[in-house]
Amino acid sequence: MKLILLGAPGAGKGTQAKMLAKKYDIPHISTGDIFRANIKNETELGKEAKGYMDQGLLVPDELVVALVADRLQEDDAQEGFILDGFPRTIPQAQHLDKTLDEMGTKIDHVIDVDCPDANIVKRLSGRRACIKCGATYHTEHLKPKVEGICDVCGSELVLRDDDKPETVIKRLQVYHEQTQPLIEYYKDKNVLVSVDGKLPIEDTFEIIVDILGDR
Ligand code: AP5
């Protein structure tokens, strides 16, 4: 199964992607996670990406597309994958189409996790992320067993730099300008389904699984 999760920042893409990756046993490929790992490891890519991410802007297409094309060639992605946070612009989507075409395959489903801006600022101010493994929690909707500590690896949970309200507002603006047009792009290809991202996490998950089926 080759799947894209679309949606605004904070709509719940990452949360659903982790659950779907486990259910269908396919890799969860998050460009945001790849950039954060590069920032943590102080790579050149990480240093360049951080400047854009901290301002709530997109990292330039040319830095993203090659990275995803390479990741899709890896063995674990041959039977399927979940793309979370990619593509985010029309040129990225066109590049992805070309890459998959060269690999003799295509996207099966695009799930648009739909959540209004009003819910998002509140959601992201309550998100806490693990500084070590990247697992995410929420102060109200998805609490860790011990406050401030990651259930998975026991490290500290922090507010992401780009989850401060002023940066979230900028990220939402960028989403509406540059990413939302992808909804029409994938509707035209007859692969897009929108799901309600305002529902509780498990309810949204069940709706997506109903759409995708058991395989
Ligand atoms: P990225 O990491 O992809 O961030 P994003 O798209 O802004 O998405 P988020 O991770 O903020 O939100 P999400 O939808 O995954 O929500 P989550 O499930 O965590 O990208 C970060 C930056 O990297 C970008 O701004 C950009 O600079 C750069 N970048 C990345 N990819 C790029 C690309 N392709 N091109 C260019 N630049 C790129 O949920 C949020 C919170 O809500 C959590 O606390 C969660 O527990 C909670 N929650 C989730 N679902 C529910 C629910 N149903 N009800 C209540 N709470 C919920």
Side-chain angles (χ1 to χ4, degrees):
M1 179 187 303
K2 287 150 185 140
L3 176 66
I4 293 173
L5 288 183
L6 278 187
K13 305 178 297 295
T15 303
Q16 297 298 328
K18 286 185 186 86
M19 295 161 76
L20 292 166
K22 198 166 166 198
K23 175 168 176 63
Y24 294 107
D25 194 22
I26 48 177
H28 167 204
I29 302 174
S30 155
T31 40
D33 285 350
I34 296 173
F35 288 133
R36 280 184 289 279
N38 275 275
I39 291 171
K40 196 171 144 209
N41 294 330
E42 300 181 354
T43 67
E44 280 310 311
L45 174 65
K47 283 178 202 155
E48 197 162 350
K50 186 171 169 32
Y52 297 99
M53 291 167 75
D54 284 353
Q55 293 178 69
L57 301 173
L58 294 185
V59 176
D61 289 342
E62 59 272 24
L63 292 182
V64 191
V65 292
L67 185 148
V68 174
D70 285 350
R71 179 65 185 86
L72 294 179
Q73 308 293 335
E74 288 181 27
D75 286 349
D76 67 339
Q78 300 316 301
E79 294 304 313
F81 51 77
I82 303 171
L83 285 172
D84 161 16
F86 182 92
R88 250 179 158 98
T89 62
I90 298 282
Q92 289 183 17
Q94 290 167 335
H95 197 279
L96 176 65
D97 285 345
K98 188 165 165 276
T99 301
L100 294 176
D101 199 39
E102 285 165 5
M103 291 168 69
T105 186
K106 62 180 177 46
I107 291 296
D108 300 311
H109 300 277
V110 178
I111 305 287
D112 169 41
V113 184
D114 184 29
C115 192
D117 291 7
N119 295 48
I120 283 174
V121 178
K122 187 159 180 279
R123 256 192 206 181
L124 288 182
S125 63
R127 173 163 61 183
R128 295 293 178 270
C130 174
I131 50 168
K132 191 164 174 215
C133 74
T136 51
Y137 302 86
H138 193 277
T139 49
E140 288 170 38
H141 310 295
L142 195 63
K143 295 181 182 179
K145 290 186 187 111
V146 180
E147 197 186 325
I149 302 294
C150 179
D151 291 351
V152 181
C153 72
S155 301
E156 186 191 353
L157 301 178
V158 296
L159 180 70
R160 249 167 64 175
D161 283 345
D162 61 348
D163 279 350
K164 294 177 182 126
E166 61 278 16
T167 316
V168 171
I169 288 164
K170 181 68 194 169
R171 285 163 66 199
L172 283 169
Q173 187 192 335
V174 167
Y175 166 76
H176 291 299
E177 286 170 9
Q178 299 192 51
T179 306
Q180 211 168 12
L182 289 174
I183 294 178
E184 284 306 314
Y185 181 89
Y186 285 114
K187 257 189 199 163
D188 288 346
K189 293 182 181 290
N190 287 320
V191 285
L192 183 120
V193 183
S194 285
V195 299
D196 188 350
K198 300 187 300 305
L199 300 173
I201 294 170
E202 287 294 341
D203 293 3
T204 302
F205 179 66
E206 267 182 39
I207 293 171
I208 299 176
V209 169
D210 275 349
I211 293 165
L212 301 180
D214 269 337
R215 74 199 163 90

